[in-house]
Amino acid sequence: MAASIFTAVPRAPPVAVFKLTADFREDGDTRKVNLGVGAYRTDEGQPWVLPVVKKVEQMIANDNSLNHEYLPILGLPEFRANASRIALGDNSPAIKENRIGSVQSLGGTGALRIGAEFLRRWYNGNNNAATPVYISAPSWENHNSVFMDAGFKDIRTYHYWDAAKRGLDLQGLLDDMEKAPEFSIFILHACAHNPTGTDPTPDQWKQIAAVMKRRFLFPFFDSAYQGFASGNLDKDAWAVRYFVSEGFELFCAQSFSKNFGLYNERVGNLTVVGKDADNVQRVLSQMEKIVRTTWSNPPSQGARIVATTLSSPQLFAEWKDNVKTMADRVLLMRSELRSRLESLGTPGTWNHITEQIGMFSFTGLNPKQVEYMIKEKHIYLMASGRINMCGLTTKNLDYVAKSIHEAVTKIQ
């Protein structure tokens, strides 16, 4: 029998976070804890369908005027308008001046990909794959892959995490921006930096914006946690709105996976802010061509849920309350874990756990300590030491804290 034409295809390594979840599922130990998955969990360790989402799904199911016809290529208009509005704010000068546009996408990843494809084709010259793209060190691993697969040849890192002080390396970040070639693209986390949970303060953002403006650097924000980070939509969008107020043209990829709990509905939006309406419309015309050959049309269900919720004052208020419930639980787990580690006398400082925000915390555990946690304690976390605070519950907090204490004490 002839050999397969696919014989020479190598097996790709598994995606780390999904492999971690698979290993967790196969573990028969009753003490096991999954701190790897990037999704919200209740104090019972269960996924949570937001009450407002359940309500809106019922409304959609009972609405006989709806059908399954194709949406426009760029997506559901009321979803796009409302998604951009919560990113930029009700009083955004860009919205009032009609110089924003948006593209409904398959999650935040889809928004990043459409933005990356557009930039490679039309930014800093035509089809310029040599424009440097700067990604924070560390960052969400998909940022590298998305821009590489979009054809960019020069992916660089910028300083972000200071391991010694377990906080932001602002000076290193600003130095990298000063040295970056003009028109370089910088991927910025709008809030709740993944994986570190460490964000610049408003004053630090102002310094970052000043350098980027002077050096003609392009800001591409990734906003995956608006509302989820602090419990306040406006606070979590501060950086994006400040850059807009400073006159930047920019992209902002938005995900509604976390703040609506719509992980598998793939609800995302790419907000485009330009100098004027004409520029934005030309950009959208090219993005429409990219979408047509990528997924052709986006799905409607998740977009309808978000659009219905955001356009009704009553549902919007209910959603904000649901988001605050999630954010508050994460904040509680942070303070509880820190207090336990400190009362155990665990070596090192642990204030970074409560100073970081969002779903993730960069614990500072090294790869050997992580390996000990997984193999000896059946506590699953990323090799970087990143943990999902939602994996902690009132039932497993003591066990996790004692295990971290043991790992730090025994393994150097």
Side-chain angles (χ1 to χ4, degrees):
M1 187 177 164
S4 168
I5 57 171
F6 302 118
T7 302
V9 178
R11 183 179 292 276
V15 177
V17 69
F18 289 95
K19 170 77 165 63
L20 198 71
T21 300
D23 291 346
F24 169 79
R25 284 199 186 113
E26 287 169 18
D27 190 334
D29 196 287
T30 55
R31 298 168 300 171
K32 68 180 182 178
V33 180
N34 186 1
L35 301 181
V37 67
Y40 179 77
R41 293 289 180 266
T42 64
D43 195 50
E44 287 71 47
Q46 295 302 310
W48 191 45
V49 180
L50 274 61
V52 73
V53 167
K54 277 187 175 172
K55 184 186 284 189
V56 173
E57 282 177 323
Q58 204 59 56
M59 289 165 60
I60 290 169
N62 295 332
D63 186 343
N64 293 325
S65 71
L66 297 176
N67 55 47
H68 293 289
E69 293 292 296
Y70 288 121
L71 294 183
I73 293 173
L74 292 179
L76 191 69
E78 54 269 39
F79 164 76
R80 293 162 53 209
N82 279 292
S84 293
R85 179 178 60 79
I86 68 156
L88 302 179
D90 290 332
N91 301 313
S92 172
I95 293 176
K96 286 176 179 169
E97 291 156 19
N98 201 28
R99 52 187 181 85
I100 71 129
S102 51
V103 181
Q104 183 187 332
S105 60
L106 301 194
T109 304
L112 287 163
R113 184 59 188 261
I114 296 302
E117 288 280 352
F118 172 86
L119 291 171
R120 204 230 38 254
R121 297 175 195 203
W122 298 107
Y123 174 73
N124 196 21
N126 287 358
N127 212 17
N128 186 357
T131 303
V133 177
Y134 282 80
I135 294 167
S136 67
S139 191
W140 182 48
E141 72 279 352
N142 230 12
H143 281 152
N144 271 296
S145 307
V146 165
F147 281 84
M148 279 174 63
D149 285 359
F152 283 97
K153 304 290 185 207
D154 189 2
I155 313 280
R156 307 182 186 186
T157 57
Y158 61 88
H159 285 82
Y160 194 87
W161 175 252
D162 184 331
K165 69 175 189 188
R166 295 185 182 181
L168 180 68
D169 179 5
L170 180 67
Q171 200 49 55
L173 187 162
L174 295 173
D175 288 348
D176 287 341
M177 288 182 165
E178 291 284 7
K179 292 172 191 160
E182 289 185 352
F183 306 111
S184 293
I185 298 161
F186 272 74
I187 312 308
L188 304 169
H189 298 231
C191 67
H193 182 274
N194 178 4
T196 70
T198 296
D199 290 350
T201 63
D203 277 346
Q204 290 170 335
W205 274 121
K206 287 178 180 178
Q207 293 178 62
I208 292 165
V211 175
M212 291 189 74
K213 185 186 275 192
R214 194 175 72 252
R215 301 282 306 130
F216 302 104
L217 305 174
F218 183 80
F220 194 148
F221 280 98
D222 186 358
S223 178
Y225 301 96
Q226 189 183 353
F228 197 103
S230 67
N232 183 306
L233 285 170
D234 298 322
K235 188 176 178 185
D236 291 349
W238 191 92
V240 177
R241 294 175 188 181
Y242 178 73
F243 272 68
V244 172
S245 74
E246 285 293 292
F248 280 90
E249 293 183 287
L250 57 81
F251 288 175
C252 179
Q254 296 168 263
S255 167
F256 293 91
S257 295
K258 310 291 192 297
N259 57 14
F260 265 86
L262 292 170
Y263 302 95
N264 67 15
E265 295 289 355
R266 310 311 299 134
V267 192
N269 187 59
L270 177 63
T271 293
V272 177
V273 179
K275 284 275 186 254
D276 54 53
D278 177 58
N279 273 294
V280 171
Q281 290 310 311
R282 281 185 286 106
V283 168
L284 291 181
S285 74
Q286 293 295 342
M287 288 184 172
E288 193 170 52
K289 298 280 187 231
I290 297 167
V291 171
R292 179 67 175 137
T293 59
T294 309
W295 54 69
S296 192
N297 294 87
S300 68
Q301 178 71 0
R304 279 181 179 149
I305 292 168
V306 173
T308 304
T309 305
L310 297 184
S311 55
S312 153
Q314 186 184 346
L315 294 169
F316 182 58
E318 199 173 321
W319 172 62
K320 285 199 289 188
D321 192 53
N322 290 175
V323 172
K324 190 160 177 3
T325 297
M326 294 190 285
D328 286 349
R329 182 174 122 65
V330 172
L331 292 169
L332 177 66
M333 290 300 104
R334 285 187 181 281
S335 63
E336 291 290 328
L337 179 61
R338 176 184 170 180
S339 70
R340 278 166 173 76
L341 290 170
E342 288 176 345
S343 64
L344 286 166
T346 308
T349 57
W350 299 98
N351 52 304
H352 60 282
I353 289 179
T354 51
E355 287 166 5
Q356 295 166 358
I357 62 166
M359 188 176 277
F360 302 113
S361 179
F362 223 42
T363 57
L365 295 179
N366 65 40
K368 282 184 179 175
Q369 291 164 343
V370 169
E371 189 182 7
Y372 177 85
M373 293 278 285
I374 295 171
K375 288 188 172 169
E376 301 297 325
K377 296 296 174 183
H378 306 272
I379 296 171
Y380 290 79
L381 64 157
M382 300 295 282
S384 63
R386 184 196 89 170
I387 62 172
N388 177 3
M389 300 308 297
C390 306
L392 294 172
T393 69
T394 49
K395 297 174 195 71
N396 67 28
L397 260 167
D398 285 326
Y399 177 64
V400 171
K402 283 172 185 165
S403 300
I404 292 173
H405 177 79
E406 213 173 286
V408 171
T409 309
K410 284 186 177 178
I411 314 291
Q412 296 311 312

mmCIF file of all heavy atoms in Angstrom, residues 119-148:
data_model
loop_
_atom_site.group_PDB
_atom_site.id
_atom_site.type_symbol
_atom_site.label_atom_id
_atom_site.label_comp_id
_atom_site.label_asym_id
_atom_site.label_seq_id
_atom_site.Cartn_x
_atom_site.Cartn_y
_atom_site.Cartn_z
ATOM 1 N N LEU A 119 -3.287 45.300 8.847
ATOM 2 C CA LEU A 119 -2.055 46.070 9.039
ATOM 3 C C LEU A 119 -0.942 45.559 8.133
ATOM 4 O O LEU A 119 -0.162 46.350 7.595
ATOM 5 C CB LEU A 119 -1.626 46.027 10.510
ATOM 6 C CG LEU A 119 -2.543 46.788 11.495
ATOM 7 C CD1 LEU A 119 -2.147 46.481 12.936
ATOM 8 C CD2 LEU A 119 -2.508 48.297 11.242
ATOM 9 N N ARG A 120 -0.848 44.246 7.972
ATOM 10 C CA ARG A 120 0.193 43.724 7.101
ATOM 11 C C ARG A 120 -0.010 44.178 5.648
ATOM 12 O O ARG A 120 0.933 44.491 4.940
ATOM 13 C CB ARG A 120 0.229 42.196 7.160
ATOM 14 C CG ARG A 120 1.582 41.627 6.772
ATOM 15 C CD ARG A 120 1.640 40.521 5.738
ATOM 16 N NE ARG A 120 0.741 40.583 4.636
ATOM 17 C CZ ARG A 120 -0.330 39.810 4.508
ATOM 18 N NH1 ARG A 120 -0.657 38.940 5.443
ATOM 19 N NH2 ARG A 120 -1.090 39.910 3.458
ATOM 20 N N ARG A 121 -1.266 44.264 5.236
ATOM 21 C CA ARG A 121 -1.546 44.623 3.839
ATOM 22 C C ARG A 121 -1.479 46.116 3.574
ATOM 23 O O ARG A 121 -1.076 46.538 2.496
ATOM 24 C CB ARG A 121 -2.941 44.112 3.453
ATOM 25 C CG ARG A 121 -3.056 42.602 3.507
ATOM 26 C CD ARG A 121 -4.480 42.155 3.228
ATOM 27 N NE ARG A 121 -4.658 40.752 3.621
ATOM 28 C CZ ARG A 121 -5.596 39.970 3.117
ATOM 29 N NH1 ARG A 121 -6.440 40.418 2.221
ATOM 30 N NH2 ARG A 121 -5.696 38.720 3.530
ATOM 31 N N TRP A 122 -1.907 46.931 4.571
ATOM 32 C CA TRP A 122 -2.171 48.340 4.263
ATOM 33 C C TRP A 122 -1.511 49.360 5.187
ATOM 34 O O TRP A 122 -1.707 50.547 4.996
ATOM 35 C CB TRP A 122 -3.685 48.591 4.255
ATOM 36 C CG TRP A 122 -4.388 47.798 3.212
ATOM 37 C CD1 TRP A 122 -5.184 46.705 3.400
ATOM 38 C CD2 TRP A 122 -4.340 48.007 1.794
ATOM 39 N NE1 TRP A 122 -5.643 46.219 2.201
ATOM 40 C CE2 TRP A 122 -5.141 47.015 1.195
ATOM 41 C CE3 TRP A 122 -3.706 48.959 0.972
ATOM 42 C CZ2 TRP A 122 -5.313 46.930 -0.179
ATOM 43 C CZ3 TRP A 122 -3.884 48.871 -0.399
ATOM 44 C CH2 TRP A 122 -4.682 47.866 -0.962
ATOM 45 N N TYR A 123 -0.757 48.922 6.186
ATOM 46 C CA TYR A 123 -0.147 49.868 7.119
ATOM 47 C C TYR A 123 1.341 50.005 6.840
ATOM 48 O O TYR A 123 2.025 49.013 6.560
ATOM 49 C CB TYR A 123 -0.370 49.385 8.567
ATOM 50 C CG TYR A 123 0.347 50.219 9.618
ATOM 51 C CD1 TYR A 123 -0.104 51.502 9.944
ATOM 52 C CD2 TYR A 123 1.474 49.740 10.278
ATOM 53 C CE1 TYR A 123 0.553 52.264 10.900
ATOM 54 C CE2 TYR A 123 2.133 50.492 11.239
ATOM 55 C CZ TYR A 123 1.671 51.764 11.543
ATOM 56 O OH TYR A 123 2.319 52.524 12.481
ATOM 57 N N ASN A 124 1.846 51.258 6.912
ATOM 58 C CA ASN A 124 3.280 51.504 6.732
ATOM 59 C C ASN A 124 3.749 50.988 5.372
ATOM 60 O O ASN A 124 4.766 50.300 5.244
ATOM 61 C CB ASN A 124 4.064 50.827 7.873
ATOM 62 C CG ASN A 124 5.485 51.350 7.983
ATOM 63 O OD1 ASN A 124 5.801 52.445 7.511
ATOM 64 N ND2 ASN A 124 6.356 50.561 8.603
ATOM 65 N N GLY A 125 2.989 51.343 4.340
ATOM 66 C CA GLY A 125 3.284 50.850 2.992
ATOM 67 C C GLY A 125 2.395 49.666 2.673
ATOM 68 O O GLY A 125 1.701 49.141 3.535
ATOM 69 N N ASN A 126 2.397 49.238 1.422
ATOM 70 C CA ASN A 126 1.550 48.115 1.016
ATOM 71 C C ASN A 126 2.269 46.786 1.228
ATOM 72 O O ASN A 126 3.410 46.619 0.797
ATOM 73 C CB ASN A 126 1.163 48.237 -0.469
ATOM 74 C CG ASN A 126 0.143 49.337 -0.674
ATOM 75 O OD1 ASN A 126 -0.286 49.957 0.292
ATOM 76 N ND2 ASN A 126 -0.244 49.583 -1.914
ATOM 77 N N ASN A 127 1.561 45.857 1.888
ATOM 78 C CA ASN A 127 2.083 44.511 2.102
ATOM 79 C C ASN A 127 3.462 44.524 2.752
ATOM 80 O O ASN A 127 4.379 43.819 2.330
ATOM 81 C CB ASN A 127 2.126 43.741 0.774
ATOM 82 C CG ASN A 127 1.878 42.265 1.004
ATOM 83 O OD1 ASN A 127 1.376 41.867 2.054
ATOM 84 N ND2 ASN A 127 2.243 41.457 0.039
ATOM 85 N N ASN A 128 3.599 45.365 3.784
ATOM 86 C CA ASN A 128 4.890 45.493 4.459
ATOM 87 C C ASN A 128 4.954 44.529 5.649
ATOM 88 O O ASN A 128 4.551 44.865 6.753
ATOM 89 C CB ASN A 128 5.117 46.934 4.920
ATOM 90 C CG ASN A 128 6.509 47.132 5.497
ATOM 91 O OD1 ASN A 128 7.285 46.185 5.609
ATOM 92 N ND2 ASN A 128 6.836 48.367 5.844
ATOM 93 N N ALA A 129 5.481 43.343 5.387
ATOM 94 C CA ALA A 129 5.591 42.322 6.437
ATOM 95 C C ALA A 129 6.759 42.607 7.374
ATOM 96 O O ALA A 129 6.930 41.919 8.381
ATOM 97 C CB ALA A 129 5.754 40.942 5.806
ATOM 98 N N ALA A 130 7.562 43.624 7.047
ATOM 99 C CA ALA A 130 8.764 43.917 7.850
ATOM 100 C C ALA A 130 8.507 44.917 8.980
ATOM 101 O O ALA A 130 9.401 45.170 9.784
ATOM 102 C CB ALA A 130 9.871 44.441 6.941
ATOM 103 N N THR A 131 7.310 45.506 9.033
ATOM 104 C CA THR A 131 7.009 46.421 10.150
ATOM 105 C C THR A 131 7.172 45.677 11.470
ATOM 106 O O THR A 131 6.569 44.620 11.663
ATOM 107 C CB THR A 131 5.563 46.951 10.043
ATOM 108 O OG1 THR A 131 5.381 47.596 8.795
ATOM 109 C CG2 THR A 131 5.259 47.934 11.173
ATOM 110 N N PRO A 132 7.977 46.200 12.412
ATOM 111 C CA PRO A 132 8.136 45.492 13.692
ATOM 112 C C PRO A 132 6.831 45.497 14.497
ATOM 113 O O PRO A 132 6.125 46.497 14.559
ATOM 114 C CB PRO A 132 9.221 46.300 14.416
ATOM 115 C CG PRO A 132 9.920 47.074 13.350
ATOM 116 C CD PRO A 132 8.864 47.364 12.319
ATOM 117 N N VAL A 133 6.521 44.344 15.064
ATOM 118 C CA VAL A 133 5.367 44.201 15.958
ATOM 119 C C VAL A 133 5.912 43.875 17.347
ATOM 120 O O VAL A 133 6.625 42.886 17.522
ATOM 121 C CB VAL A 133 4.425 43.078 15.493
ATOM 122 C CG1 VAL A 133 3.259 42.900 16.477
ATOM 123 C CG2 VAL A 133 3.892 43.363 14.091
ATOM 124 N N TYR A 134 5.593 44.717 18.318
ATOM 125 C CA TYR A 134 6.108 44.554 19.679
ATOM 126 C C TYR A 134 5.035 43.972 20.589
ATOM 127 O O TYR A 134 3.910 44.478 20.643
ATOM 128 C CB TYR A 134 6.567 45.900 20.237
ATOM 129 C CG TYR A 134 7.906 46.369 19.722
ATOM 130 C CD1 TYR A 134 8.019 46.981 18.471
ATOM 131 C CD2 TYR A 134 9.063 46.215 20.485
ATOM 132 C CE1 TYR A 134 9.244 47.425 17.993
ATOM 133 C CE2 TYR A 134 10.295 46.659 20.024
ATOM 134 C CZ TYR A 134 10.382 47.259 18.782
ATOM 135 O OH TYR A 134 11.597 47.692 18.320
ATOM 136 N N ILE A 135 5.401 42.910 21.305
ATOM 137 C CA ILE A 135 4.501 42.211 22.219
ATOM 138 C C ILE A 135 5.158 42.174 23.596
ATOM 139 O O ILE A 135 6.370 41.966 23.701
ATOM 140 C CB ILE A 135 4.210 40.789 21.681
ATOM 141 C CG1 ILE A 135 3.408 40.908 20.368
ATOM 142 C CG2 ILE A 135 3.477 39.934 22.697
ATOM 143 C CD1 ILE A 135 3.305 39.647 19.560
ATOM 144 N N SER A 136 4.393 42.391 24.642
ATOM 145 C CA SER A 136 4.976 42.461 25.984
ATOM 146 C C SER A 136 5.621 41.135 26.385
ATOM 147 O O SER A 136 5.189 40.065 25.964
ATOM 148 C CB SER A 136 3.907 42.854 27.011
ATOM 149 O OG SER A 136 2.940 41.816 27.143
ATOM 150 N N ALA A 137 6.674 41.228 27.205
ATOM 151 C CA ALA A 137 7.317 40.035 27.761
ATOM 152 C C ALA A 137 7.004 39.966 29.255
ATOM 153 O O ALA A 137 7.498 40.801 30.010
ATOM 154 C CB ALA A 137 8.826 40.101 27.539
ATOM 155 N N PRO A 138 6.141 39.036 29.679
ATOM 156 C CA PRO A 138 5.457 38.016 28.892
ATOM 157 C C PRO A 138 4.131 38.545 28.339
ATOM 158 O O PRO A 138 3.731 39.664 28.659
ATOM 159 C CB PRO A 138 5.195 36.923 29.932
ATOM 160 C CG PRO A 138 4.944 37.698 31.196
ATOM 161 C CD PRO A 138 5.866 38.899 31.125
ATOM 162 N N SER A 139 3.464 37.714 27.526
ATOM 163 C CA SER A 139 2.137 38.075 27.027
ATOM 164 C C SER A 139 1.336 36.801 26.823
ATOM 165 O O SER A 139 1.836 35.695 27.025
ATOM 166 C CB SER A 139 2.249 38.848 25.713
ATOM 167 O OG SER A 139 1.003 39.425 25.356
ATOM 168 N N TRP A 140 0.085 36.965 26.445
ATOM 169 C CA TRP A 140 -0.748 35.836 26.029
ATOM 170 C C TRP A 140 -0.072 35.202 24.827
ATOM 171 O O TRP A 140 0.281 35.900 23.872
ATOM 172 C CB TRP A 140 -2.140 36.369 25.682
ATOM 173 C CG TRP A 140 -3.138 35.348 25.287
ATOM 174 C CD1 TRP A 140 -3.428 34.185 25.927
ATOM 175 C CD2 TRP A 140 -4.023 35.419 24.154
ATOM 176 N NE1 TRP A 140 -4.433 33.524 25.265
ATOM 177 C CE2 TRP A 140 -4.814 34.251 24.184
ATOM 178 C CE3 TRP A 140 -4.223 36.346 23.135
ATOM 179 C CZ2 TRP A 140 -5.791 33.992 23.226
ATOM 180 C CZ3 TRP A 140 -5.192 36.102 22.184
ATOM 181 C CH2 TRP A 140 -5.970 34.937 22.225
ATOM 182 N N GLU A 141 0.131 33.874 24.856
ATOM 183 C CA GLU A 141 0.957 33.235 23.819
ATOM 184 C C GLU A 141 0.379 33.375 22.410
ATOM 185 O O GLU A 141 1.116 33.342 21.423
ATOM 186 C CB GLU A 141 1.210 31.755 24.155
ATOM 187 C CG GLU A 141 0.035 30.816 24.010
ATOM 188 C CD GLU A 141 -0.934 30.842 25.194
ATOM 189 O OE1 GLU A 141 -0.634 31.492 26.219
ATOM 190 O OE2 GLU A 141 -2.008 30.221 25.086
ATOM 191 N N ASN A 142 -0.926 33.573 22.312
ATOM 192 C CA ASN A 142 -1.540 33.668 20.983
ATOM 193 C C ASN A 142 -1.178 34.969 20.251
ATOM 194 O O ASN A 142 -1.287 35.035 19.029
ATOM 195 C CB ASN A 142 -3.063 33.554 21.102
ATOM 196 C CG ASN A 142 -3.643 32.536 20.133
ATOM 197 O OD1 ASN A 142 -2.929 31.764 19.522
ATOM 198 N ND2 ASN A 142 -4.953 32.541 19.984
ATOM 199 N N HIS A 143 -0.765 36.001 20.994
ATOM 200 C CA HIS A 143 -0.393 37.259 20.322
ATOM 201 C C HIS A 143 0.710 37.024 19.303
ATOM 202 O O HIS A 143 0.611 37.467 18.150
ATOM 203 C CB HIS A 143 0.073 38.294 21.359
ATOM 204 C CG HIS A 143 -1.053 38.962 22.084
ATOM 205 N ND1 HIS A 143 -0.939 39.452 23.362
ATOM 206 C CD2 HIS A 143 -2.334 39.226 21.705
ATOM 207 C CE1 HIS A 143 -2.102 39.976 23.742
ATOM 208 N NE2 HIS A 143 -2.951 39.851 22.753
ATOM 209 N N ASN A 144 1.768 36.320 19.701
ATOM 210 C CA ASN A 144 2.859 36.011 18.778
ATOM 211 C C ASN A 144 2.349 35.271 17.554
ATOM 212 O O ASN A 144 2.651 35.642 16.414
ATOM 213 C CB ASN A 144 3.905 35.120 19.471
ATOM 214 C CG ASN A 144 4.961 35.929 20.178
ATOM 215 O OD1 ASN A 144 5.705 36.656 19.553
ATOM 216 N ND2 ASN A 144 5.012 35.805 21.488
ATOM 217 N N SER A 145 1.586 34.212 17.805
ATOM 218 C CA SER A 145 1.146 33.330 16.714
ATOM 219 C C SER A 145 0.250 34.051 15.725
ATOM 220 O O SER A 145 0.368 33.863 14.513
ATOM 221 C CB SER A 145 0.407 32.119 17.298
ATOM 222 O OG SER A 145 1.206 31.489 18.277
ATOM 223 N N VAL A 146 -0.669 34.870 16.239
ATOM 224 C CA VAL A 146 -1.607 35.573 15.350
ATOM 225 C C VAL A 146 -0.857 36.492 14.377
ATOM 226 O O VAL A 146 -1.126 36.493 13.172
ATOM 227 C CB VAL A 146 -2.648 36.378 16.165
ATOM 228 C CG1 VAL A 146 -3.387 37.385 15.285
ATOM 229 C CG2 VAL A 146 -3.650 35.440 16.822
ATOM 230 N N PHE A 147 0.099 37.250 14.895
ATOM 231 C CA PHE A 147 0.814 38.191 14.019
ATOM 232 C C PHE A 147 1.803 37.482 13.102
ATOM 233 O O PHE A 147 1.993 37.895 11.963
ATOM 234 C CB PHE A 147 1.471 39.303 14.859
ATOM 235 C CG PHE A 147 0.483 40.348 15.277
ATOM 236 C CD1 PHE A 147 -0.312 40.165 16.403
ATOM 237 C CD2 PHE A 147 0.291 41.485 14.512
ATOM 238 C CE1 PHE A 147 -1.269 41.115 16.763
ATOM 239 C CE2 PHE A 147 -0.660 42.440 14.864
ATOM 240 C CZ PHE A 147 -1.442 42.246 16.001
ATOM 241 N N MET A 148 2.386 36.382 13.573
ATOM 242 C CA MET A 148 3.247 35.596 12.688
ATOM 243 C C MET A 148 2.430 34.982 11.557
ATOM 244 O O MET A 148 2.824 35.042 10.389
ATOM 245 C CB MET A 148 3.945 34.482 13.481
ATOM 246 C CG MET A 148 5.175 34.949 14.241
ATOM 247 S SD MET A 148 5.859 33.658 15.302
ATOM 248 C CE MET A 148 6.320 32.435 14.082
#
